[in-house]
Amino acid sequence: IYFGVLPAAMVCGHPKSHSEATMHGGAPGGIHEYHIVIAVFDDAPGARIEDAKVTASISGLGHVGLKSLALEPMSIAGTITYGTFVNLPGDDRYDIRVAINRPGQKAPAVVNFMYQHGR
């Protein structure tokens, strides 16, 4: 699994006709908005997994509550990656739990990431 966090502003400048301008309902414009991206690969052959349902639960040390988000499939350079926009308001450490459900799989594969957010 590859995990990335990018400022949402990176996709705000695309023309409306560009596919990235409308993904996930369009990029939010706030200064604390980020794009989470997950690429999933099969362990043995290393092939990209493109048929999963992916969710992320995000909690920050300085914030109350847990955000649970569905990551939508995105086509990038002919491959599928999963992503969504999220608000990360503080200079904080965020724990991000990613669950990957594949068809026919009894239980999701779960991976935990730590993201240290700073301005």
Side-chain angles (χ1 to χ4, degrees):
I1 297 171
Y2 290 96
F3 167 76
V5 178
L6 308 163
M10 292 180 72
V11 297
C12 286
H14 290 298
K16 291 185 190 270
S17 61
H18 194 279
S19 62
E20 289 183 22
T22 58
M23 70 181 168
H24 318 310
I31 61 170
H32 302 293
E33 301 295 332
Y34 290 83
H35 189 215
I36 292 177
V37 179
I38 302 284
V40 184
F41 298 86
D42 193 317
D43 187 36
R48 189 177 290 260
I49 294 174
E50 299 185 340
D51 62 349
K53 292 195 184 289
V54 180
T55 59
S57 299
I58 303 170
S59 61
L61 291 177
H63 305 280
V64 177
L66 180 72
K67 298 175 188 174
S68 185
L69 306 163
L71 278 67
E72 299 173 356
M74 311 175 292
S75 179
I76 299 175
T79 61
I80 297 295
T81 305
Y82 303 89
T84 194
F85 293 111
V86 63
N87 184 283
L88 302 175
D91 291 342
D92 203 348
R93 187 189 89 193
Y94 289 89
D95 293 315
I96 302 171
R97 179 181 180 267
V98 176
I100 302 154
N101 285 299
R102 294 191 70 193
Q105 191 175 358
K106 291 182 182 180
V110 177
V111 180
N112 294 298
F113 295 95
M114 189 273 302
Y115 172 66
Q116 181 64 47
H117 179 62
R119 292 180 217 176

